[in-house]
Amino acid sequence: MDFRLTEDQRALRKGVRELLARLFDREALRAAVDAPSPSLDRELWRELGAAGFFALRLPEEEGGVGLGLAEAVLLFEEAGRVLLPGPLVATHVAAGAVPGAAEGSTVVTEVDEGLVPWLDEADVVLGEAEGAVPLRSVDPLTPLHRVPGFVGAGSRSGTRPHGRRSVVPTLPQRGDPHAPAERMPTTGVVEDTAEVLPATEVAVLLTAAEQVGSAGRTTEMAVSYAREREQFGQVIGGFQAVKHLCAGMLVRGELARAAVRGAAVTGDPVEIAGAKLLADEAATANARDCLQVFGGMGFTWEADVHLHLKRAWVRARLRLPAARAEEVVAANL
Amino acid sequence: MDLAYSDEEEEFRGRLREWLAATLPTLPPRPDPLDWPARRAYDCGWQRRLYDAGYADVHWDASPTQRLIFLEETELAGAPYVGANFVGLLHAGPTIAAEGTPEQRDRWLPPVLRGDEVWCQGFSEPDAGSDLASLRTRAVRDGDEYVVSGQKIWTSHAEVADWCELLVRTDAGPGVSKHRGISWLAMPMDAPGVTVRPLRTLAGSTEFAEMFLDEVRVPVGNRVGDENDGWRVTMVTLSFERGTAFVGEVVACRRLLGELARTARENGTWDDPALRRRLGRLSAEFQALWRLTQANVSEAQATGGVPGAGGSVFKLHYSHARQELYEAAAGVLGPDALDLGHDWTLDRLSSLSYTIAAGTSQIQRNIVAERILGLPKGR
């Protein structure tokens, strides 16, 4: 057992971080935020495709990079760090199934939890989006449409849209749902989880990975601000009240990261649900605490904090929201 | 990112599992928790079995991964915990192994491994808790002996211990920083001048004791490490505690959650979605804590076995999650949660110490903020 990143994985993460710094730096982020309406940068999309962002898990003989879920979560952590916009997860998951998705020439979105992100900009929509109406999305970088007839995540009787593919994650239970979950899944690691896992579960996990990336980034932002900002003649990071907020952010982020990486290795659907739950919590709570550390500045449009919080809210609402994730994990207790 | 165990590790697990299956049924019944001599005899008997089977030094010599497997398997099998041997095996022993002279190692380590001698810890004082370095118990040199006077508190197993790992102030001179001037002594508990008084916890049990030291004579040869260098020696000790120390507990929490879910299904509280989902969230948290443990162990394995600050990250979340587990249990148990005859109730009370013992959550947050995040020291 060695749960640390391998040398190749560290190199991949470094490469992705450098790539994203080049393709979507802070200037690009702010330009996108201040654009009159969110639009998808096709050239960026194609460059992501050319770099293997969407084809990462496709076998090499199909033109892919031939890597697995463990590498994919590292990729999406990085995407979450820089608030990379667009239906990244849907397009990544559709690679190989939807022509052009792997290369970044086709933008794929999906109906999910009664919402469709990036509907107007996408080339292919998975799921039934007929009659969808635009809403003024809270996240300036994620346009959203609402699908008629969807009642809500907490409701079990809600009408769900039907389309080419079910949008409701049907997470299978372990062999016997009433068996005691006394044993950790220490063995039974799936060799290539990508081949066995349904696309919906991969999408849940990769969304969780984006949340982890965001949670890590807001921790860094808060810490670096707390080391510079001075009040009462000292940097505010010297005050325990601020220190403890930052420490709590790190704990949440590290716990969620361990959960997401563990789930990527085992491919266990229940573990994926648990990882999404903790990653949503980490991303939203860390963005909140980061905003608090930033004080008045955190409440401004200029600081990036609100972008992390709003994106975290959107992702928490999509791809197996908390109430259902908790039920999935509970059902296997 | 590899969670698969090597063939060698799986073989270790298999042999251990077989041995546990054969050995556990032959153990005597568990002693009354209030009968300290019986508890000592039971815990030492278990340690002797481990010694005879070659597992006694698993906390010292085995790789972090083997230690993880050992703690996981013993918990799953329902084997006894280290109990009275906690300080000997996990605090004093590793310290002596790392910092002691060959003679000191020969004198003190074998009896710990064999379960012949029990150690207790004399660190905290009434006025030195989180601020341990401000301890005031004095040791004055008199020829080949130190003469020790002062008061210690939270001394687990003091009633039945043979030795105490004792922190004393050997230099209280002006201008000496409080972290200097401390020495680490092995004090025999039967020395004249040692008085032990049990301390009753809010759970009604006497897990701890106060210890009064009145001119106790301790040979200078019982000092481990240099005079006035005890703080550094102690930091070696504490780093062991924050490594794999909680593996068994995480496994135990998973088992407890399973039991709780069964009880909830039987008594109908499972139909309450809020409670059901609360248990689901806890289950996700303990699963993640297990993954975090594996990450910490992997890190420790790669860096030579001394666990880093990752232990503080783990302990911070774990101690709160475990308290939350008992809060959720109270919801499942209803009126039984107020019944002291119920194991869950006593465990709930005991769990209130988790955010205090071995470094309060507030101190842990300081550690995380200063040592990992690099925020400035201060108050």
Side-chain angles (χ1 to χ4, degrees):
Chain A
M1 180 200 72
D2 188 351
F3 198 24
R4 294 174 308 148
L5 301 191
T6 63
E7 225 167 277
D8 286 348
Q9 286 167 342
R10 279 200 303 272
L12 172 80
R13 185 177 58 178
K14 184 167 175 281
V16 176
R17 190 168 292 192
E18 284 164 5
L19 173 82
L20 293 181
R22 206 166 61 242
L23 294 183
F24 193 69
D25 61 6
R26 178 149 195 280
E27 212 175 304
L29 168 72
R30 296 309 309 199
V33 171
D34 292 329
S37 65
S39 65
L40 207 131
D41 183 347
R42 290 287 175 155
E43 199 188 319
L44 168 68
W45 209 255
R46 271 190 298 273
E47 290 198 70
L48 288 172
F53 196 96
F54 304 117
L56 187 86
R57 292 180 306 113
L58 280 187
E60 288 178 76
E61 55 270 26
E62 290 175 37
V65 187
L67 293 173
L69 260 191
E71 286 75 26
V73 297
L74 298 179
L75 202 69
F76 278 80
E77 263 188 52
E78 294 303 316
R81 275 178 61 85
V82 299
L83 292 160
L84 191 63
L88 299 162
V89 170
T91 304
H92 176 98
V93 171
V98 174
E103 296 77 20
S105 52
T106 306
V107 176
V108 182
T109 191
E110 186 171 21
V111 181
D112 181 28
E113 300 295 329
L115 294 168
V116 206
W118 295 97
L119 180 64
D120 290 340
E121 303 276 329
D123 305 310
V124 172
V125 182
L126 301 176
E128 186 53 71
E130 203 169 328
V133 290
L135 52 92
R136 284 183 62 205
S137 173
V138 64
D139 175 8
L141 293 181
T142 310
L144 291 167
H145 277 66
R146 187 200 294 272
V147 172
F150 185 86
V151 175
S155 163
R156 289 163 162 239
S157 55
T159 328
R160 301 200 187 278
H162 297 282
R164 269 184 280 159
R165 205 171 78 204
S166 166
V167 294
V168 183
T170 47
L171 294 167
Q173 312 223 323
R174 283 179 189 162
D176 173 7
H178 298 294
E182 286 176 8
R183 188 160 172 77
M184 303 287 173
T186 50
T187 50
V189 171
V190 182
E191 284 299 326
D192 187 357
T193 44
E195 280 181 19
V196 242
L197 265 190
T200 42
E201 280 148 21
V202 173
V204 170
L205 181 64
L206 296 183
T207 306
E210 287 187 289
Q211 297 283 57
V212 166
S214 172
R217 181 72 194 119
T218 47
T219 305
E220 290 170 12
M221 286 162 63
V223 168
S224 115
Y225 189 78
R227 288 164 80 164
E228 283 170 15
R229 168 76 174 163
E230 289 187 19
Q231 287 289 274
F232 302 102
Q234 68 167 78
V235 295
I236 61 169
F239 294 114
Q240 277 195 337
V242 175
K243 262 187 199 174
H244 287 193
L245 273 183
C246 295
M249 293 171 73
L250 184 82
V251 170
R252 275 187 220 114
E254 290 298 307
L255 190 73
R257 178 173 286 132
V260 164
R261 291 185 180 176
V265 174
T266 64
D268 181 331
V270 180
E271 200 170 342
I272 290 175
K276 175 65 166 41
L277 188 61
L278 298 184
D280 285 347
E281 166 88 19
T284 50
N286 280 12
R288 274 294 289 110
D289 285 353
C290 181
L291 200 153
Q292 188 69 22
V293 170
F294 268 66
M297 280 307 295
F299 193 64
T300 66
W301 187 262
E302 281 70 33
D304 296 344
V305 189
H306 70 107
L307 301 173
H308 278 282
L309 179 57
K310 291 164 178 174
R311 185 74 58 86
W313 280 346
V314 168
R315 281 188 296 239
R317 186 65 192 73
L318 299 173
R319 309 283 185 196
L320 200 63
R324 277 219 317 286
E326 285 169 346
E327 290 284 10
V328 169
V329 183
N332 283 272
L333 255 175
Chain B
M1 263 193 249
D2 187 3
L3 289 173
Y5 293 90
S6 70
D7 289 347
E8 195 188 328
E9 287 159 352
E10 286 297 358
E11 199 187 303
F12 175 81
R13 184 192 295 278
R15 259 184 298 141
L16 174 61
R17 211 177 275 180
E18 263 173 47
W19 179 76
L20 287 168
T23 307
L24 294 183
T26 69
L27 290 183
R30 300 238 174 178
D32 178 345
L34 296 177
D35 184 345
W36 277 97
R39 277 175 69 168
R40 176 191 158 122
Y42 183 86
D43 294 343
C44 289
W46 168 241
Q47 181 59 26
R48 180 67 202 203
R49 305 263 191 138
L50 289 172
Y51 178 82
D52 290 339
Y55 292 114
D57 58 355
V58 73
H59 299 289
W60 302 356
D61 269 359
S63 74
T65 307
Q66 278 183 331
R67 205 150 58 227
L68 177 122
I69 293 170
F70 177 84
L71 293 165
E72 184 189 8
E73 289 298 327
T74 46
E75 174 59 39
L76 285 171
Y81 187 51
V82 281
N85 294 304
F86 181 80
V87 174
L89 285 171
L90 293 165
H91 275 247
T95 304
I96 294 164
E99 300 285 328
T101 62
E103 295 73 35
Q104 289 175 330
R105 291 201 291 270
D106 288 347
R107 165 59 190 89
W108 285 313
L109 299 186
V112 167
L113 293 176
R114 283 196 304 264
D116 289 342
E117 289 184 349
V118 167
W119 285 68
C120 64
Q121 189 186 66
F123 280 14
S124 300
E125 297 179 5
D127 289 327
S130 291
D131 183 13
L132 182 61
S134 69
L135 60 91
R136 287 194 305 217
T137 292
R138 286 294 308 274
V140 179
R141 189 85 171 251
D142 181 22
D144 291 342
E145 291 177 322
Y146 288 109
V147 181
V148 183
S149 293
Q151 186 186 347
K152 295 289 178 179
I153 196 168
W154 316 126
T155 316
S156 312
H157 311 290
E159 295 92 328
V160 292
D162 304 290
W163 294 93
C164 176
E165 53 164 348
L166 191 71
L167 285 185
V168 293
R169 187 154 298 283
T170 35
D171 186 354
V176 176
S177 93
K178 66 181 179 180
H179 292 90
R180 294 287 306 166
I182 293 172
S183 298
W184 194 106
L185 303 180
M187 179 182 75
M189 289 297 284
D190 59 0
V194 178
T195 307
V196 171
R197 197 163 71 190
L199 197 62
R200 203 165 176 218
T201 71
L202 59 76
S205 60
T206 51
E207 289 298 314
F208 303 111
E210 291 177 292
M211 192 164 64
F212 300 89
L213 307 173
D214 183 16
E215 301 200 345
V216 181
R217 294 192 160 263
V218 179
V220 169
N222 284 19
R223 190 190 68 229
V224 172
D226 289 342
E227 190 168 89
N228 299 330
D229 193 30
W231 184 257
R232 188 190 57 78
V233 172
T234 304
M235 287 303 108
V236 172
T237 311
L238 289 180
S239 70
F240 283 94
E241 187 179 22
R242 289 175 190 158
T244 45
F246 295 101
V247 168
E249 274 96 328
V250 180
V251 179
C253 285
R254 290 282 299 197
R255 180 171 50 75
L256 289 171
L257 259 177
E259 277 175 23
L260 206 55
R262 266 197 298 283
T263 306
R265 286 189 170 102
E266 280 160 21
N267 74 12
T269 48
W270 188 256
D271 295 334
D272 172 2
L275 191 123
R276 191 171 61 229
R277 288 185 357 214
R278 194 175 179 188
L279 296 182
R281 177 171 285 266
L282 272 167
S283 180
E285 288 182 27
F286 283 113
Q287 173 70 35
L289 282 166
W290 180 248
R291 295 295 178 223
L292 196 57
T293 300
Q294 289 176 310
N296 286 344
V297 166
S298 298
E299 202 60 49
Q301 179 112 349
T303 54
V306 177
S312 289
V313 171
F314 174 89
K315 186 185 181 279
L316 263 171
H317 194 84
Y318 164 75
S319 49
H320 289 271
R322 182 140 196 189
Q323 288 176 349
E324 165 61 17
L325 168 63
Y326 290 107
E327 291 308 304
V332 171
L333 297 171
D336 281 350
L338 299 177
D339 178 0
L340 278 176
H342 218 284
D343 280 351
W344 279 98
T345 310
L346 285 172
D347 291 343
R348 182 187 185 194
L349 291 171
S350 298
S351 79
L352 295 170
S353 74
Y354 295 159
T355 44
I356 301 168
T360 64
S361 292
Q362 286 66 35
I363 287 292
Q364 300 289 350
R365 285 191 195 103
N366 285 353
I367 291 173
V368 167
E370 290 166 12
R371 297 198 201 148
I372 305 182
L373 297 177
L375 289 170
K377 280 185 179 269
R379 307 192 171 101

